[in-house]
Amino acid sequence: MIGQKMQDALNAHVTSELFSANLYLAMSAYCEGKAYAGFSRWLRIQYFEELEHAHKMLDHLVARGGTAAIGAVNAPGREFGSILQVFEKVLDHERHVTQSIEELYRAASAERDPASQIFLQWFVSEQVEEEARVKEIVDKLRMVGDKSSAALYLDKEYGKRQRAGTT
Ligand SMILES: [Fe+2]
Ligand SMILES: [Fe+2]
């Protein structure tokens, strides 16, 4: 059975994944409102991914005899600036999430909870991917600068993203 400390830490992280989901949902709607339908779609898929992260963590907690305790989720805000600023904020946020996952991993080791350590490895690798994916978008948007035709091209390209497991 999972210890109280890990239970609390995982529960807190479930709430933080739900915040990530809502942040990307808000950003998706914001981009849609700015006529960036492709980036809006990309962020909407990211929203679903964050929900899946929350579910995955909750399932681990419950499977190990823990009690789910979902906390209040902060409002994500509604103004995100230019399309570059949107993705700079996504990258900042993902870096913050990476730190939080690494703390969870260290806590699992300190609590002598190998099942959580092994479980959290997936999240550690996922964060490497998430940061790389978002950094690529930020780098490309920086390259494009104020050339709107190039920004619209990127919007179209990133709008091709599919949800995992769907076609
Ligand atoms: Fe996540
Ligand atoms: Fe994420």
Side-chain angles (χ1 to χ4, degrees):
M1 186 160 165
I2 194 164
Q4 193 60 48
K5 258 197 173 159
M6 279 315 290
Q7 250 190 85
D8 294 346
L10 290 173
N11 267 316
H13 197 83
V14 168
T15 307
S16 128
E17 293 285 349
L18 293 174
F19 173 78
S20 300
N22 283 355
L23 176 65
Y24 299 151
L25 181 63
M27 285 175 164
S28 168
Y30 178 82
C31 288
E32 183 75 46
K34 301 272 176 202
Y36 284 114
F39 286 123
S40 171
R41 178 182 166 84
W42 193 97
L43 284 159
R44 183 67 66 100
I45 291 171
Q46 197 61 27
Y47 155 77
F48 284 116
E49 277 207 0
E50 301 300 352
L51 286 183
E52 278 163 18
H53 295 166
H55 301 166
K56 208 176 178 111
M57 213 167 261
L58 209 52
D59 290 347
H60 173 80
L61 186 74
V62 174
R64 309 243 342 262
T67 306
I70 295 169
V73 182
N74 291 332
R78 58 182 80 166
E79 261 305 320
F80 303 103
S82 68
I83 192 67
L84 172 60
Q85 285 169 330
V86 169
F87 281 92
E88 283 174 339
K89 284 182 181 115
V90 175
L91 185 55
D92 272 358
H93 183 66
E94 286 300 333
R95 284 176 172 157
H96 165 80
V97 173
T98 299
Q99 282 179 4
S100 162
I101 294 280
E102 287 174 358
E103 264 168 44
L104 276 182
Y105 188 83
R106 282 192 287 273
S109 153
E111 291 299 305
R112 297 172 188 272
D113 180 349
S116 287
Q117 263 183 288
I118 291 166
F119 169 75
L120 286 165
Q121 275 175 15
W122 181 88
F123 281 86
V124 172
S125 310
E126 172 71 4
Q127 282 310 115
V128 172
E129 250 183 61
E130 293 242 289
E131 281 194 32
R133 256 190 300 191
V134 179
K135 189 171 179 298
E136 184 190 288
I137 299 178
V138 168
D139 287 346
K140 284 184 177 164
L141 284 170
R142 280 189 186 139
M143 252 181 251
V144 154
D146 54 8
K147 290 188 283 296
S148 53
S149 56
L152 289 177
Y153 170 77
L154 290 180
D155 181 62
K156 201 173 170 198
E157 282 304 299
Y158 282 100
K160 292 177 184 165
R161 184 178 181 186
Q162 300 287 342
R163 255 185 97 179
T166 62
T167 50

